Structure formats: structure tokens, C-alpha cells
Amino acid sequence: MILGITGGVGCGKSTVLDIMHKQYGARIILADALGHDAMEPGTDSYQKIVALFGDGILDSEQHIDRNQVAARIYKDEEKRKQLNAIVHPFVLEQIRKRLQEWSREPFIVVESALMFDTECYQYCDEVWGILTDPEVRIDRLMSSRGYSREKCIGIMNTQISDDKLVEKCSKVIDNSGTIEDLESQLQQLLVTD
């Protein structure tokens, strides 16, 4: 089974993945980590990103400074779209390769906050969304990442809405409660599938 997991920042995707890996033996593919790989020197995407933004995004060791890139796309929607047009195909290709390598694995989870924007869902048998009370998400992000309340809300407002998540996902997990509540939901969903 190839399962997609998606949800907004602070919803607890990492916790869900940790449970799926430790308790159910899932192999995990993180789309975000693959997006970081797209910015590594030696890749075609690295060259394209440097061409798009200029040498000013490079640090002293010629690595792309992701904070510089983030600051630029935060202010420029067109540049964000151009960056996504470079990174998303790279990520999809890497997912495809990983799935080929792991073709004999019984349970693979593909995690992406941008599951439907990047079309990662096309590789998944099902996509499950994680919903979490917005205040719980804000508290998590403020304590774990040191974000301000305003930054949390700003990021959350750019991501898929809860309504869209419910509409597009085959199943929804509520991660507003305890870890035991989450484990119980996952057990029910994974055992019945």
C-alpha cells in the first residue's frame, strides 16, 4: 500500500509518520526533504534555481541559502511559481525513483504538505489528511519552532484549508487530542484497510 499523508504546518504529520514507521513498519518518503535535495549543488534544479534568483542566494560554500530564497518568494508570487515549477518536477521524479526501489515494500507513506499542489497524490493508493484545531497548531509551532502567533497564522493562511482537505482526502485524522487518541485512530484506520 502506498499511502499519502498531508496536512498543514503544526498538524502533527511527523508524529503520525513516526507512529506509522515504528508501529506498522512503514517506509517513509518526505517530499519536503526531497525539495531540499533539489537545491543541492550538482543537480539540474540547483543550476536553474541559481539562474532564477542569481548568485546572491549562495552562501560562502556555494550552497543555496534557503532562508534567502524563502524571503524572496515571500514577497514575489511570480518567483514562487517559477521556483515551484523547478522543484516540484524534481520531487515527483525522486518519489517515483524511491517507489521503484521499494517496490517490494508492503507499506510506504508519502508525506507532503503540498500533496495536491505538487501532484504527489498520483502515486498514492489513498491520501489521508490530518486536521488539528488551529489553536493547537499555533501552540505547537510557537513552542517547538519559536514562531510568533502572527507568523503561524500567516503560514497557515497560505496552506490548504480544512474544508479542502476534507473534500480531497479519502480519510481524515483528527490530531487535536492526545497521542493515545491519535494511535487509536491510526489503528482503526490501518487495521480496517
Side-chain angles (χ1 to χ4, degrees), residues 9 37 47 52 71 80 96 102 119 124 127 144 149 157-158 169 173 181 184 192:
V9 65
D37 292 349
Q47 300 296 337
L52 177 62
R80 187 182 69 76
R96 189 189 63 74
W102 293 349
E119 300 186 358
C124 303
V127 176
S144 68
R149 182 175 182 80
N157 286 340
T158 66
C169 293
I173 300 160
D181 293 337
S184 175
T192 58

Coordinates of all heavy atoms in Angstrom, one line a residue, residues 9 37 47 52 71 80 96 102 119 124 127 144 149 157-158 169 173 181 184 192:
V9 N 0.9 23.0 8.4 CA 2.0 23.1 9.4 C 1.5 23.0 10.8 O 0.4 23.6 11.1 CB 2.8 24.5 9.2 CG1 1.9 25.7 9.4 CG2 4.1 24.6 10.0
D37 N 16.7 18.6 -1.4 CA 17.7 17.9 -2.3 C 17.8 18.6 -3.6 O 18.8 18.6 -4.2 CB 17.4 16.4 -2.5 CG 17.5 15.6 -1.2 OD1 18.1 16.1 -0.2 OD2 17.1 14.4 -1.2
Q47 N 21.1 24.4 -10.6 CA 21.5 25.4 -11.7 C 20.4 26.3 -12.0 O 20.5 27.5 -12.2 CB 22.0 24.6 -12.9 CG 23.2 23.7 -12.7 CD 24.5 24.5 -12.2 OE1 24.6 25.6 -12.5 NE2 25.3 23.8 -11.5
L52 N 17.6 31.5 -11.7 CA 16.4 32.3 -11.4 C 16.6 33.4 -10.5 O 16.1 34.5 -10.7 CB 15.3 31.3 -10.9 CG 13.9 31.9 -10.5 CD1 13.2 32.6 -11.7 CD2 13.1 30.8 -9.8
A71 N 12.7 34.3 1.7 CA 12.5 35.7 1.8 C 12.1 36.3 0.5 O 11.2 37.2 0.4 CB 13.7 36.4 2.4
R80 N 7.8 32.7 -6.8 CA 7.4 31.4 -6.0 C 6.9 30.4 -7.0 O 7.3 29.2 -7.0 CB 6.3 31.7 -5.0 CG 6.0 30.5 -4.1 CD 4.9 30.9 -3.1 NE 3.6 31.1 -3.7 CZ 2.8 30.1 -4.2 NH1 3.2 28.8 -4.1 NH2 1.7 30.4 -4.8
R96 N 9.1 8.9 -7.5 CA 8.9 7.8 -8.4 C 10.1 6.8 -8.3 O 9.9 5.6 -8.3 CB 8.8 8.3 -9.9 CG 8.4 7.3 -10.9 CD 8.5 7.8 -12.3 NE 9.9 8.2 -12.7 CZ 10.9 7.3 -12.9 NH1 10.6 6.0 -12.9 NH2 12.1 7.7 -13.3
W102 N 11.7 0.6 -3.8 CA 11.0 0.0 -2.7 C 9.7 -0.8 -3.1 O 8.8 -1.0 -2.4 CB 10.5 1.0 -1.6 CG 11.6 1.7 -0.9 CD1 13.0 1.3 -0.9 CD2 11.5 2.8 -0.1 NE1 13.7 2.2 -0.1 CE2 12.8 3.1 0.4 CE3 10.5 3.6 0.3 CZ2 13.1 4.2 1.3 CZ3 10.8 4.7 1.2 CH2 12.1 4.9 1.7
E119 N 1.0 17.3 -7.0 CA 0.5 16.1 -7.6 C 1.2 14.9 -7.1 O 1.2 13.8 -7.8 CB 0.6 16.2 -9.2 CG -0.2 17.4 -9.7 CD -0.3 17.4 -11.2 OE1 0.4 16.6 -11.9 OE2 -1.0 18.3 -11.7
C124 N -0.2 7.7 -4.9 CA -0.8 7.1 -3.7 C -2.1 6.3 -4.0 O -2.9 6.7 -4.8 CB -1.0 8.2 -2.7 SG 0.5 9.1 -2.3
V127 N -5.1 9.1 0.0 CA -4.5 10.2 0.7 C -5.3 10.5 2.0 O -6.5 10.6 1.9 CB -4.4 11.4 -0.2 CG1 -3.8 12.6 0.7 CG2 -3.5 11.2 -1.4
S144 N 7.5 24.7 19.6 CA 8.5 23.8 19.0 C 9.5 24.6 18.1 O 10.6 24.3 17.9 CB 7.9 22.7 18.2 OG 7.2 23.1 17.1
R149 N 2.9 34.2 17.0 CA 1.5 33.9 16.6 C 1.2 34.4 15.2 O 0.5 33.7 14.4 CB 0.6 34.5 17.7 CG -0.9 34.2 17.4 CD -1.8 34.7 18.5 NE -3.2 34.4 18.3 CZ -3.7 33.2 18.5 NH1 -3.0 32.3 19.1 NH2 -4.9 32.9 18.2
N157 N -2.5 30.4 6.7 CA -3.4 31.0 5.8 C -3.0 30.8 4.3 O -3.8 30.9 3.4 CB -3.6 32.5 6.0 CG -4.4 32.9 7.2 OD1 -5.2 32.0 7.7 ND2 -4.2 34.1 7.7
T158 N -1.7 30.4 4.1 CA -1.3 30.1 2.7 C -1.5 28.6 2.4 O -1.3 28.3 1.2 CB 0.2 30.5 2.5 OG1 1.0 29.6 3.3 CG2 0.5 31.9 2.9
C169 N -9.3 14.4 0.6 CA -8.7 13.2 1.2 C -9.7 12.1 1.3 O -10.9 12.4 1.6 CB -8.1 13.6 2.5 SG -6.7 14.7 2.4
I173 N -7.9 12.3 9.8 CA -7.4 12.0 11.1 C -7.5 13.3 11.9 O -7.0 14.3 11.5 CB -6.0 11.5 11.1 CG1 -5.9 10.2 10.3 CG2 -5.5 11.3 12.5 CD1 -4.5 9.9 9.8
D181 N -5.1 9.1 21.6 CA -6.2 9.3 20.7 C -5.7 9.0 19.3 O -6.4 8.4 18.5 CB -6.8 10.7 20.8 CG -7.5 10.9 22.1 OD1 -7.9 10.0 22.8 OD2 -7.6 12.1 22.5
S184 N -5.0 5.4 18.5 CA -6.2 4.6 18.4 C -6.9 4.8 17.0 O -7.3 3.9 16.4 CB -7.2 5.1 19.5 OG -8.4 4.5 19.3
T192 N -8.5 -1.7 9.5 CA -9.7 -2.0 8.7 C -9.4 -1.9 7.2 O -10.2 -2.3 6.4 CB -10.8 -1.0 9.0 OG1 -10.3 0.4 8.8 CG2 -11.3 -1.2 10.4

